[in-house]
Each structure stands twice: as structure tokens, then as C-alpha cells.
Amino acid sequence: MKKPDYEILLGKASAYCSLSEHCIADVEEKLNIWGATDSQIKKIVKYLLMEKYIDPRRFAIAYAHDKFRFNRWGKVKITFMLRAKDIDNDIITDALESIDTEEYQNILQEMITEKAKAIKAASLYEKRGKLIRCLHDKGFEFSEIEREINKIL
């Protein structure tokens, strides 16, 4: 099987990055799927970074905002997923700080209110435990969950 030409791979990678934000790991994975060699991957990623097709900071901020707003993930889960994509910790911190604190608390309050109505429990203690587990699974910090539950329940 013939290896794809560098120019073709560069064009495909540029088009891929033009459609939406991607991290370096996503681009490398795509290039591997397309049959690029390791040297081609390094060269293409270097070019894409230099030309600002990919930018880890821009990606992390967009990812954090999207996962928070649309998937309703908390900061813990967003952090975990960004680390899985090999994003630096200082970039992750910046991305999480870009999430509006008031909006974060409002979403958490909405989720507590919605889930509290749906949860069947024999006691307030059991209901509280189920709420905490549910919200913790979505990646919200225990201290935030505790504070908001105390306000609502």
C-alpha cells in the first residue's frame, strides 16, 4: 500500500482543522488513520501550529465551554478529559477560569432542582446521597454540590 503524499495529508489536515477546534492529539490520530508516517505527522502538526490551525489554549477554552454548556459537565470531568487529550495543566486552568462562575452555579442549581424531582428516595438523606452521586458523576466538585444542595433542600 502506497503512503499518502505529504501535500495531500497537509490539505486534509488543514481542512479538518478549519471545520472546528481540534487538539494536537486529535489531529495526530486522524493523520495516523489516513496513513501518515511519524515524520509526516510531526511536520504537519508543526505547520498547523505555526499557522494557527490548531492552538491548544483556544481548543481547551472552546472544549470547556462546549462541554459545560451542552453536556452540562462540571470542572472535574472537563479537567479529566482535557488531560486525556494531553493538554498542559496551566492551559486547563485558564480554560476552567474562563467559565463564568455565576453561570456554573446556575447550571448546578438547575440540575439539582431537576434531579431532585426525578429521584425516588425513602428519606431526605437517601435523596441527598443520590443527588450528590449523580452530580459528582457529571464532574462537579463536592464542595460546590454540597453548598448548592444546602441552599435548595
Side-chain angles (χ1 to χ4, degrees):
M1 184 174 153
K2 186 182 165 209
K3 289 288 178 189
D5 185 24
Y6 170 79
E7 295 299 322
I8 292 170
L9 289 169
L10 180 61
K12 286 174 90 171
S14 299
Y16 176 67
C17 293
S18 295
L19 294 174
S20 63
E21 291 294 338
H22 296 284
C23 65
I24 294 170
D26 291 345
V27 174
E28 288 175 341
E29 183 181 331
K30 265 300 185 199
L31 287 166
N32 267 325
I33 291 169
W34 294 333
T37 64
D38 287 343
S39 63
Q40 286 175 325
I41 291 172
K42 286 178 186 170
K43 194 173 174 183
I44 290 169
V45 167
K46 184 178 177 182
Y47 173 83
L48 294 173
L49 282 166
M50 189 176 68
E51 295 297 319
K52 298 290 185 195
Y53 280 94
I54 51 179
D55 180 343
R57 188 171 306 281
R58 192 177 64 213
F59 168 78
I61 290 170
Y63 186 89
H65 282 265
D66 285 354
K67 294 303 180 185
F68 168 64
R69 285 206 179 100
F70 301 118
N71 297 43
R72 296 176 131 195
W73 286 1
K75 291 180 180 179
V76 174
K77 190 169 185 174
I78 293 169
T79 300
F80 179 78
M81 297 307 286
L82 285 171
R83 281 191 184 138
K85 292 183 176 287
D86 292 328
I87 304 296
D88 290 335
N89 284 332
D90 58 329
I91 294 174
I92 293 172
T93 302
D94 291 346
L96 295 177
E97 287 174 356
S98 73
I99 296 173
D100 182 49
T101 307
E102 190 175 320
E103 186 179 1
Y104 191 77
Q105 290 172 343
N106 289 341
I107 293 273
L108 183 55
Q109 288 171 357
E110 284 176 27
M111 290 177 70
I112 290 170
T113 305
E114 288 171 13
K115 296 289 181 187
K117 290 177 187 172
I119 289 176
K120 305 272 189 266
S123 67
L124 183 61
Y125 178 79
E126 185 182 346
K127 185 176 211 165
R128 193 178 160 83
K130 287 182 178 185
L131 268 172
I132 290 170
R133 274 191 300 282
C134 174
L135 295 166
H136 191 264
D137 288 348
K138 288 293 258 180
F140 288 93
E141 304 91 325
F142 181 75
S143 59
E144 292 286 322
I145 296 168
E146 190 76 51
R147 187 178 69 240
E148 295 304 325
I149 283 179
N150 288 337
K151 285 181 190 175
I152 293 171
L153 294 183

